[in-house]
Amino acid sequence: MCCPAVIFFCIFAYLPMPGLYLAFVKYNYTNGIFGSPFVGWDNFKFLIMTGDLWRLTFNTIAYNLAFILLGNIAQITVAILLNEIRKKWFKKVSQTLMFLPYFISAVLVGLLAYNILSYDYGLLNGVLGALGMDPVKAYSEPHLWPFIIIITYLWQTTGYGSIIYFAAIMGLDTEIVEAAEIDGANAFQRIVHIVIPWLKPTFIILLLFSLGGILKGNFGLFFNLVGANNTALYASTDIIETYVFRSLMTNFNFSMGSAVSLYQSIFGFVVVLTANWIVKKVSPENSLF
């Protein structure tokens, strides 16, 4: 049963690894990867000197930290609220409605956002105009986009992400809850002292998995919400994935894109090892290895 997964990772993860050499050459089409001039660390030095690497790293980490922390809090909250619903038909309807945004294409999400935020035809400015207020140039205001992106991400993923926490709650021994009710514990006390501690191992495992991709941005979300060439928003919305996309598809700089991707992978690997080491010191039973 493991063979398909092993074959998949061998083909798509291990066989392409020699291509990492691309990050250390000045690539040209005529000579190929291994025939192009070797430049060592020059691609990385250029990224550091231009300041792009620090901006991309900060934006990517900041957004992912917000996604991880706020996302998990929202997912735990939704799972607990669903568990407290007593009417089964209402619980099923609520779950279905919350799952739907996850299956909406990122392209459609970007289109919906544009129809809301467009300066000339957007719903937001239409409402503001009807109220006698000045319109908002959303696509020219970098400070607005962290809120827009985070809210959109939470709207799209909270319902689906709550499945794991809801399943963990279903594994809770009902006798413990019943005993707490007999002892006079109200719903809030049961949640704080029984349900949330029960979810702690699940949260830690999901957190460790998430930290491994802390430098892997949600390209579909950022690309379709912001676009690839809106320079006015680069300061607050440009992440590693969008930079690599521009390097490959707009600037045709394959070496620079490969250098950023290699940096991204090594950083994520170090973060996972560090986070797991900290968890192992604090709570050994919840560590990955």
Side-chain angles (χ1 to χ4, degrees):
M1 292 179 65
C2 291
C3 284
V6 172
I7 293 172
F8 173 85
F9 283 105
C10 285
I11 294 175
F12 294 103
Y14 292 103
L15 288 180
M17 287 185 74
L20 294 175
Y21 183 70
L22 182 62
F24 302 96
V25 301
K26 185 176 181 181
Y27 179 75
N28 62 67
Y29 295 94
T30 303
N31 299 325
I33 296 176
F34 299 101
S36 298
F38 181 79
V39 296
W41 299 97
D42 287 357
N43 292 321
F44 298 91
K45 291 178 182 177
F46 178 78
L47 285 170
I48 294 172
M49 291 174 62
T50 57
D52 288 340
L53 191 63
W54 307 121
R55 172 174 54 85
L56 296 171
T57 301
F58 175 80
N59 285 346
T60 307
I61 292 177
Y63 277 112
N64 278 328
L65 285 177
F67 292 162
I68 292 169
L69 296 178
L70 297 178
N72 277 282
I73 291 172
Q75 290 162 17
I76 290 173
T77 303
V78 168
I80 292 174
L81 292 176
L82 286 174
N83 185 59
E84 293 298 316
I85 297 175
R86 294 294 174 253
K87 294 184 179 180
K88 290 185 178 180
W89 68 268
F90 186 74
K91 182 184 294 187
K92 291 180 179 179
V93 171
S94 301
Q95 285 180 309
T96 302
L97 292 176
M98 287 187 293
F99 292 166
L100 286 177
Y102 183 81
F103 298 101
I104 297 176
S105 167
V107 177
L108 183 56
V109 172
L111 180 63
L112 292 172
Y114 180 78
N115 280 277
I116 294 172
L117 301 173
S118 172
Y119 180 79
D120 295 316
Y121 309 106
L123 175 64
L124 176 61
N125 284 337
V127 173
L128 293 176
L131 296 174
M133 302 173 66
D134 295 331
V136 177
K137 297 181 179 180
Y139 287 94
S140 302
E141 301 290 342
H143 65 278
L144 296 177
W145 282 91
F147 301 99
I148 296 171
I149 291 171
I150 291 171
I151 290 171
T152 304
Y153 176 85
L154 294 177
W155 167 76
Q156 192 171 20
T157 61
T158 297
Y160 185 83
S162 65
I163 294 176
I164 297 176
Y165 289 110
F166 186 70
I169 293 174
M170 292 295 98
L172 178 61
D173 190 350
T174 55
E175 293 182 359
I176 299 176
V177 180
E178 291 172 358
E181 290 178 351
I182 294 172
D183 290 339
N186 57 36
F188 179 77
Q189 290 171 328
R190 293 196 303 271
I191 291 171
V192 172
H193 298 290
I194 298 176
V195 178
I196 292 179
W198 177 260
L199 294 176
K200 178 184 173 183
T202 304
F203 171 76
I204 292 175
I205 293 297
L206 292 178
L207 177 64
L208 290 174
F209 283 139
S210 299
L211 288 176
I214 199 168
L215 276 187
K216 292 186 180 296
N218 191 329
F219 173 77
L221 178 66
F222 282 81
F223 178 77
N224 288 286
L225 277 181
V226 182
N229 298 309
N230 191 342
T231 57
L233 302 180
Y234 279 177
S236 62
T237 64
D238 201 21
I239 59 173
I240 290 177
E241 267 72 12
T242 54
Y243 182 89
V244 172
F245 177 82
R246 288 198 310 276
S247 297
L248 298 179
M249 303 303 295
T250 304
N251 304 325
F252 301 102
N253 194 335
F254 294 91
S255 297
M256 200 66 66
S258 181
V260 175
S261 297
L262 178 59
Y263 162 75
Q264 181 184 42
S265 301
I266 294 175
F267 191 95
F269 177 71
V270 173
V271 168
V272 169
L273 292 181
T274 304
N276 186 76
W277 178 80
I278 294 172
V279 171
K280 195 170 185 179
K281 292 292 183 181
V282 177
S283 180
E285 69 276 6
N286 294 320
S287 62
L288 284 176
F289 48 84

